[in-house]
Amino acid sequence: DAMVIQNPRYQVTQFGKPVTLSCSQTLNHNVMYWYQQKSSQAPKLLFHYYDKDFNNEADTPDNFQSRRPNTSFCFLDIRSPGLGDAAMYLCATSRAGTGSGNQPQHFGDGTRLSIL
Amino acid sequence: AQTVTQSQPEMSVQEAETVTLSCTYDTSESDYYLFWYKQPPSRQMILVIRQEAYKQQNATENRFSVNFQKAAKSFSLKISDSQLGDAAMYFCAYRSAAPGTYKYIFGTGTRLKVLA
């Protein structure tokens, strides 16, 4: 089945130690998103790509970076994680283009990040 | 800027009964899309139902239906014959139909408990 896959499901890192979360998709969607979700809250959009065009949210900390080397893969890099960055990180995809506005996002299972 | 409001942080329903989750939104646009997503505990967020703003007919998907009131900017979700598996966080989301817009705006969510 076509899907969005996030690895790992659980990631533990030390305060200040860089960490990378990965996302891959087999849906061939041209838009990929990264969200941060804290307990029982709405997902907060960090950034999204339309193809290779990167769109950063104004309130996304500089500590968060992203790479999309090709259509299928997208990475979230946290350069110096702080305790406040402990959260669930969700990757999502959607199809953009003429007539695709009603297409929903497809989400991965998420990566739960813990900071020691 | 568009906003989405879910005024019920938590709702409870008896198994086999009907429950309605509220969602209101604010926009100056006339064309857009609305979605309800379900996020079970520690599981993937999935689409429940979607509605195109230009359609007057309310969307239905099996036991799930919406009451879309465009003038009132209201988009409530009705779950009939509630089942234990319906217990989850439910998020209402908005997406503009404007060309080049790929962001989904989420409400803060409603936690639904289903009582046996």
Side-chain angles (χ1 to χ4, degrees):
Chain A
D1 287 340
M3 58 178 59
V4 180
I5 302 166
Q6 291 188 244
N7 285 306
R9 285 296 306 275
Y10 301 92
Q11 176 74 56
V12 181
T13 192
Q14 291 180 329
F15 182 94
K17 185 174 181 181
V19 65
T20 294
L21 310 182
S22 70
C23 177
S24 64
Q25 55 131 340
T26 60
L27 296 160
N28 203 32
H29 283 171
N30 45 7
V31 189
M32 293 187 78
Y33 309 78
W34 279 106
Y35 290 91
Q36 180 191 66
Q37 187 179 30
K38 297 193 175 180
S39 181
S40 299
Q41 295 182 19
K44 178 183 182 298
L45 182 64
L46 297 173
F47 20 62
H48 72 278
Y49 281 92
Y50 173 64
D51 289 332
K52 283 195 172 290
D53 292 337
F54 177 71
N55 297 271
N56 196 32
E57 292 301 295
D59 58 354
T60 297
D62 293 339
N63 200 22
F64 290 81
Q65 305 285 316
S66 185
R67 297 170 283 135
R68 189 180 185 186
N70 54 51
T71 300
S72 301
F73 286 88
C74 196
F75 300 96
L76 170 61
D77 302 308
I78 308 177
R79 292 191 298 187
S80 182
L83 296 178
D85 297 329
M88 176 73 83
Y89 289 87
L90 301 176
C91 175
T93 71
S94 72
R95 183 168 64 84
T98 302
S100 65
N102 68 343
Q103 295 304 305
Q105 291 181 301
H106 294 255
F107 286 84
D109 287 337
T111 294
R112 184 167 297 282
L113 179 66
S114 300
I115 315 292
L116 299 181
Chain B
Q2 298 88 9
T3 58
V4 177
T5 301
Q6 293 179 249
S7 59
Q8 305 154 316
E10 190 171 293
M11 293 282 286
S12 296
V13 63
Q14 286 291 139
E15 198 176 5
E17 297 294 309
T18 295
V19 65
T20 298
L21 308 184
S22 300
C23 173
T24 59
Y25 56 94
D26 188 27
T27 184
S28 58
E29 299 177 325
S30 60
D31 198 11
Y32 47 86
Y33 306 96
L34 297 166
F35 305 85
W36 277 99
Y37 286 91
K38 170 185 177 181
Q39 188 178 36
S42 301
R43 291 179 61 189
Q44 190 179 55
M45 190 174 308
I46 58 173
L47 177 71
V48 175
I49 199 166
R50 76 188 90 176
Q51 175 81 41
E52 291 90 342
Y54 61 82
K55 289 186 178 179
Q56 291 188 330
Q57 186 173 6
N58 289 323
T60 62
E61 287 286 343
N62 300 314
R63 298 183 294 108
F64 298 87
S65 61
V66 298
N67 184 3
F68 173 49
Q69 301 289 328
K70 190 172 184 179
K73 297 180 183 175
S74 172
F75 182 60
S76 60
L77 174 69
K78 185 171 84 170
I79 306 173
S80 304
D81 186 25
S82 296
Q83 301 175 359
L84 295 177
D86 295 333
M89 283 289 287
Y90 287 81
F91 292 98
C92 178
Y94 172 104
R95 175 178 169 170
S96 168
T101 304
Y102 312 115
K103 289 167 58 170
Y104 295 73
I105 299 166
F106 286 84
T108 51
T110 296
R111 181 176 301 281
L112 179 66
K113 295 184 176 181
V114 181
L115 308 173

